[in-house]
Amino acid sequence: MAKRGGSEFVCQNCGTVYPRWQGKCDACGEWNSIIEEKVGGEGFSNLPSKRKGQIIDFVPLSGSQEKLDRLTTSIKELDRVCGGGLVAGSVILVGGDPGIGKSTLLLQTCAKVAELPSKPECYYISGEEAIDQVRIRAKRLGLEKAPVKLASATDIKDIIATLEKSNAAVVIIDSIQTMYLEEVESTPGSVAQVRACSYELIKLAKKKGFTLFLVGHVTKQGSIAGPRVLEHMVDTVLYFEGERGHHFRILRAVKNRYGATDEIGVFEMQDQGLVEVENPSALFLAERQGNISGSCVFAGIEGSRPVLVEIQALVSPTGYSSPKRAVVGWDSNRLAMVLAVLEARCGMNLSSQDVYLNIAGGLRITEPAADLAVAMAVISSLTNKPLPHDMVIFGEIGLSGEVRAVSQPSLRMKEARKLGFSSVVTPPRHSKDNAKSYDLNIYEIGNVQRLINMFN
Ligand SMILES: Nc1ncnc2c1ncn2[C@@H]1O[C@H](COP(=O)(O)OP(=O)(O)OP(=O)(O)O)[C@@H](O)[C@H]1O
Ligand SMILES: [Mg+2]
Ligand SMILES: [Zn+2]
């Protein structure tokens, strides 16, 4: 570390610190991302002192603990992603692409909380937009009557001094990249500023016990701009995502000290703002066409909730020497693996075919449980044979072509039944006793070869 008052060179992309300038960051490979920053410590209240350390008291693991104080916002999708409501004194970082709806979501949250019968004090501090702009949005969303305290400010010292005297329950900082602390001699949005401002705000949130939302911009690589450090400082990291041209928005927890990650909240962006989607499966399947080859329905799990989505594949003879593989919404390595298994274990010839794969509706799936559905969509497209319209599929594929069990099969099947599907293709099931209770035709498949036979 450089001496206090000296300077250090910090990569604005990943936060790596170097003793001298260099053109390329060794850690993340970005060019021209390293700039000089004056060392100001973690914040203005962190100046060195002569005080000696004191002896710490140790206690046993068991003992009385305070029950987590959770505030339910009445936006169920948000509460779910946060682990069942907002924890007092917790800090939530909300990242997302420009224009995805971060400010909209947080303004709605703020207004909904402020309107609760217990009248929590809610502060919305915008460093990005003028008061008028926020008011216009509030009017469009029909929230102008909500008792939210709105301010446009960027000086962290002012903000801290104000909140210090308040009785805040929820504070929204939109965005952390616009905030600055005088003592830190770099521009707002730089790693040093983001870190120092967050540090001060987080300390106050813990002290006063309010829930702090920080909006963070996302870099072109898709991580929250500024250092990874920020993700470590906060309790919860949420990503707000969605595909351009789609109106679904998905709020995803990638870190949560107070709940499960991988939980998602689904919203639909409408003129009057973000509307919660209680039954995402119905929404994702709404535009599905019947009797088309290359399409099948995957019964997936997102967090604690089953979600049915349509998987579309298009296989067509290639015009190139190396065939094209394009994937939207799934892992391209995973697709390559599924295709390799189909070639090696089932004798399918895909090396002269381009393969396009799309998860309809803009959802991004990470589960390997989608393997079997992907394989099915590919085979269906290649053979040009549509699948039964009322069939759902799930299962993981192993390298030898075996179909492996996945988590929570009963939850997936129940959701399929609820949405009117009547048959399901699953991995071999170990407990068959309750098969009847699903009221579905269950086709158990132990090997991908069997999948191909289904088309004959
Ligand atoms: N009538 C409307 N006027 C403006 N935006 C609308 C309207 N109806 C829907 N929207 C949506 O609101 C989105 C803007 O949302 P918002 O400003 O909350 O995003 P953000 O993530 O905060 O963006 P930024 O990164 O610029 O802060 C637009 O991209 C658009 O999809
Ligand atoms: Mg915004
Ligand atoms: Zn870097």
Side-chain angles (χ1 to χ4, degrees), residues 11-16 18 25-30 33-34:
C11 171
Q12 301 300 302
N13 189 47
C14 70
T16 308
Y18 296 93
C25 173
D26 298 332
C28 70
E30 188 78 2
S33 63
I34 296 171

Side-chain angles (χ1 to χ4, degrees), residues 5-82:
S7 54
E8 57 190 20
F9 296 83
V10 184
C11 171
Q12 301 300 302
N13 189 47
C14 70
T16 308
V17 181
Y18 296 93
R20 59 189 67 80
W21 190 84
Q22 56 191 64
K24 185 185 175 192
C25 173
D26 298 332
C28 70
E30 188 78 2
W31 285 91
N32 287 328
S33 63
I34 296 171
I35 68 163
E36 183 173 1
E37 288 184 354
K38 290 275 185 295
V39 180
E42 292 280 46
F44 64 83
S45 58
N46 207 26
L47 294 167
S49 74
K50 294 250 163 58
R51 195 179 68 90
K52 277 224 183 91
Q54 283 175 355
I55 305 296
I56 311 169
D57 285 334
F58 289 93
V59 295
L61 283 175
S62 65
S64 67
Q65 71 253 32
E66 270 179 56
K67 208 175 153 285
L68 277 185
D69 190 6
R70 284 190 194 265
L71 179 76
T72 40
T73 62
S74 82
I75 301 180
K76 281 201 219 93
E77 297 292 304
L78 176 70
D79 289 345
R80 183 209 328 277
V81 176
C82 293

Side-chain angles (χ1 to χ4, degrees), residues 325-355:
R325 268 74 176 114
V327 187
V328 178
W330 205 49
D331 180 5
S332 52
N333 290 327
R334 203 82 206 168
L335 174 67
M337 191 209 81
V338 170
L339 297 181
V341 170
L342 288 176
E343 290 210 294
R345 307 291 172 198
C346 311
M348 289 176 68
N349 180 10
L350 293 160
S351 56
S352 57
Q353 308 280 343
D354 289 337
V355 179

Side-chain angles (χ1 to χ4, degrees), residues 107-268:
L107 186 63
Q108 283 182 256
T109 305
C110 201
K112 281 274 162 19
V113 174
E115 277 169 346
L116 291 175
S118 56
K119 299 207 166 53
E121 272 185 30
C122 294
Y123 292 79
Y124 186 101
I125 301 171
S126 179
E128 219 138 74
E129 292 165 304
I131 287 184
D132 279 354
Q133 276 174 292
V134 181
R135 282 187 174 155
I136 292 169
R137 178 178 301 123
K139 192 154 196 310
R140 174 162 59 85
L141 305 179
L143 300 172
E144 71 269 41
K145 300 247 156 57
V148 170
K149 295 177 191 294
L150 169 67
S152 174
T154 52
D155 186 330
I156 284 292
K157 271 193 174 170
D158 296 347
I159 294 172
I160 299 274
T162 314
L163 293 176
E164 187 85 58
K165 292 218 165 52
S166 76
N167 207 356
V170 173
V171 175
I172 288 160
I173 303 287
D174 188 1
S175 65
I176 189 66
Q177 275 94 0
T178 54
M179 300 295 147
Y180 74 94
L181 197 57
E182 232 167 42
E183 279 76 4
V184 181
E185 288 178 39
S186 15
T187 50
S190 65
V191 173
Q193 281 289 6
V194 166
R195 204 190 303 159
C197 294
S198 307
Y199 179 82
E200 294 305 328
L201 287 166
I202 292 169
K203 212 169 52 171
L204 190 69
K206 303 278 169 209
K207 181 173 144 202
K208 302 276 297 178
F210 58 76
T211 303
L212 172 66
F213 282 93
L214 301 175
V215 175
H217 289 296
V218 161
T219 61
K220 50 184 187 302
Q221 283 82 20
S223 58
I224 292 175
R228 269 285 141 121
V229 180
L230 191 52
E231 297 198 3
H232 292 294
M233 289 165 78
V234 301
D235 300 306
T236 302
V237 180
L238 306 180
Y239 274 91
F240 203 35
E241 39 185 58
E243 296 289 331
R244 295 239 164 263
H246 285 292
H247 36 254
F248 315 126
R249 296 286 181 270
I250 290 159
L251 190 64
R252 194 184 286 279
V254 294
K255 161 181 171 173
N256 195 352
R257 285 183 184 149
Y258 300 109
T261 51
D262 295 334
E263 200 64 79
I264 63 166
V266 184
F267 297 88
E268 195 176 349

Side-chain angles (χ1 to χ4, degrees), residues 97-104 128 137 140 217 269-271:
D97 286 336
I100 204 76
K102 302 179 291 297
S103 305
T104 308
E128 219 138 74
R137 178 178 301 123
R140 174 162 59 85
H217 289 296
M269 178 62 96
Q270 299 182 353
D271 267 358

